[in-house]
């Protein structure tokens, strides 16, 4: 596949309240962690079963294929297997739905990029990271080991599936430049739990991504892609994974105009910002195949103005 023409199946297995507020009805929760802690367990399981059974179906895969796309990126949570209460409680596992997604993708002729979208104690503090305002996964070796284990389990389970395009190590580990914005836009439900949170250092990411690559490659052949997110630091990866041992590694970058300085001022400014980003992507394409895994040209600027 020379190019990915794809779509994200967001809010299916990893919840984002803005996409489907009714899932959070009756609960004072802004993220999946709070929903799972506050909603009584029988109601939580019933609500999530209804959502997962109906939000994405075979018909969606058929529609995606019919519209000329070739790939689906599926965000999955760290608790997908439900195998370890220390990390998976109080959440509701969902591995059977990823199994269904592979069946549907192979039936219609689509490829699947598995995207590990959350980590215990979060890697970014976004609502899509599972816990608003918290970012501490990188500070605890036992949590880092757990994330590597989940990636290994996913790799082993799907390595031989025809529909597997590849595995993305971890979605959007946050940069220092974004951390102040996150603290304002996504305040934690429990400030005490958020104490000590902070952006993910680039030096940590170099080591973590290298460990994750080797863990995944224990199961995935070189024809399958290992993808990593730029951590909102697109041009800091020129010397990364350059030795021959690293095969078929792709770089993911996300473009949200809400985060681009001046991008809301005028059409000319938007064009200027996009032109600069295009140049950066072309530059990085000398080192890795680059995918724009998420993007948006228009987004509410309110959070940036606060």
């Amino acid at each position: 596949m020379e190019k990915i023409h794809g779509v994200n199946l967001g809010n299916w297995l990893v919840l984002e309240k803005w996409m489907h507020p009714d899932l959070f009805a009756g609960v004072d929760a802004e993220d999946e962690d709070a929903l799972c802690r506050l909603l009584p367990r029988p109601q939580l399981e019933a609500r999530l079963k209804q959502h997962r059974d109906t939000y994405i179906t075979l018909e969606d895969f058929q529609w995606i294929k019919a519209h000329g796309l070739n790939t689906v990126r599926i965000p999955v949570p760290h608790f997908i297997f439900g195998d370890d209460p220390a990390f998976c409680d109080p959440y509701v596992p969902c591995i059977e739905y990823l199994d269904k997604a592979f069946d549907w993708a192979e039936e219609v002729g689509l490829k699947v990029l598995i995207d590990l979208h959350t980590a215990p104690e979060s890697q970014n503090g976004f609502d899509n990271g599972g816990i608003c305002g918290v970012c501490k996964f990188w500070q605890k070796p036992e949590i880092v080991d757990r994330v590597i284990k989940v990636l290994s389990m996913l790799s082993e389970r799907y390595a031989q599936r025809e529909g597997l395009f590849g595995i993305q190590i971890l979605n959007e580990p946050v940069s220092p430049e974004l951390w102040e914005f996150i603290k304002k836009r996504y305040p934690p439900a429990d400030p005490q739990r958020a104490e000590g949170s902070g952006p993910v250092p680039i030096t940590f990411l170099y080591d973590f991504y290298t460990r994750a690559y080797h863990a995944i490659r224990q199961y995935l052949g070189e024809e399958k892609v290992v993808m990593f997110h730029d951590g909102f630091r697109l041009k800091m990866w020129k010397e990364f994974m350059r030795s021959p041992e690293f095969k078929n590694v792709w770089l993911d970058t996300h473009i949200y105009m809400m985060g681009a300085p001046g991008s809301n001022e005028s059409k000319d400014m938007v064009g200027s910002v996009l032109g600069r980003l295009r140049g950066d992507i072309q530059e990085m394409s000398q080192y890795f195949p680059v995918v724009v895994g998420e993007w948006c040209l228009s987004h509410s600027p309110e959070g940036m103005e606060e």
Side-chain angles (χ1 to χ4, degrees):
M1 188 189 303
E2 291 187 3
K3 286 188 178 181
I4 287 180
H5 298 285
V7 65
N8 286 277
L9 302 186
N11 195 53
W12 184 28
L13 305 183
V14 175
L15 303 185
E16 297 187 46
K17 184 177 179 178
W18 68 273
M19 291 191 193
H20 193 181
D22 288 350
L23 271 172
F24 292 74
V27 182
D28 184 17
E30 296 299 323
D31 55 48
E32 188 163 0
D33 178 85
L35 179 70
C36 291
R37 294 181 187 279
L38 296 175
L39 197 65
R41 188 71 182 188
Q43 294 181 40
L44 175 67
E45 291 179 350
R47 188 176 296 190
L48 288 181
K49 183 178 188 308
Q50 169 68 16
H51 169 71
R52 292 166 176 172
D53 284 345
T54 59
Y55 195 76
I56 297 292
T57 66
L58 172 60
E59 286 70 27
D60 294 297
F61 278 72
Q62 293 169 334
W63 188 95
I64 291 166
K65 178 66 175 179
H67 283 74
L69 304 181
N70 57 26
T71 309
V72 289
R73 179 173 179 259
I74 304 182
V76 302
H78 67 83
F79 54 83
I80 185 169
F81 289 99
D83 60 302
D84 187 339
F87 297 101
C88 300
D89 287 349
Y91 313 113
V92 181
C94 51
I95 190 63
E96 67 271 24
Y97 292 94
L98 190 55
D99 288 343
K100 289 181 181 180
F102 271 89
D103 292 341
W104 297 336
E106 290 166 358
E107 179 177 336
V108 304
L110 290 170
K111 293 293 185 180
V112 174
L113 175 63
I114 301 173
D115 158 44
L116 185 59
H117 215 71
T118 72
E121 297 301 306
S122 189
Q123 73 279 14
N124 53 34
F126 290 127
D127 53 349
N128 64 52
I131 317 172
C132 291
V134 176
C135 183
K136 296 197 289 188
F137 113 93
W138 59 274
Q139 301 174 12
K140 301 181 180 181
E142 65 274 18
I143 292 181
V144 177
D145 290 345
R146 172 62 185 175
V147 172
I148 298 291
K149 181 178 180 180
V150 173
L151 288 166
S152 297
M153 293 166 69
L154 289 166
S155 302
E156 182 178 22
R157 189 179 188 95
Y158 298 108
Q160 304 306 316
R161 294 297 297 251
E162 179 184 350
L164 180 66
F165 175 76
I167 292 181
Q168 182 160 359
I169 294 171
L170 189 62
N171 180 66
E172 295 187 344
V174 74
S175 66
E177 291 76 13
L178 279 176
W179 185 242
E180 290 303 315
F181 161 67
I182 288 170
K183 288 196 294 184
K184 293 178 180 178
R185 183 70 176 270
Y186 301 100
D190 181 354
Q192 185 174 358
R193 186 179 181 187
E195 285 184 5
S197 293
V200 183
I202 192 71
T203 52
F204 168 85
L205 283 180
Y206 291 151
D207 178 70
F208 169 66
Y209 282 159
T210 301
R211 284 186 60 196
Y213 172 89
H214 289 301
I216 291 168
R217 277 284 179 248
Q218 289 185 29
Y219 302 100
L220 263 57
E222 293 176 3
E223 75 282 1
K224 307 293 188 183
V225 166
V226 176
M227 191 176 294
F228 70 94
H229 184 261
D230 65 5
F232 304 102
R233 289 158 274 197
L234 176 59
K235 296 174 69 174
M236 297 185 71
W237 303 95
K238 295 179 182 179
E239 305 302 322
F240 187 60
M241 290 191 180
R242 305 315 304 154
S243 61
E245 66 183 297
F246 298 106
K247 308 289 187 182
N248 206 7
V249 180
W250 291 37
L251 173 62
D252 176 32
T253 191
H254 296 172
I255 297 174
Y256 284 96
M257 298 306 294
M258 62 176 276
S263 62
N264 297 300
E265 295 179 7
S266 70
K267 290 183 179 180
D268 289 342
M269 181 62 72
V270 170
S272 174
V273 171
L274 288 177
R276 185 180 73 248
L277 292 171
R278 184 184 298 112
D280 291 345
I281 289 170
Q282 289 173 340
E283 180 179 346
M284 290 307 298
S285 294
Q286 301 175 60
Y287 303 93
F288 300 96
V290 178
V291 174
V292 180
E294 299 180 20
W295 60 274
C296 184
L297 295 182
S298 178
H299 203 293
S300 170
E302 296 159 348
M304 298 299 291
E305 294 173 350
E306 290 176 357

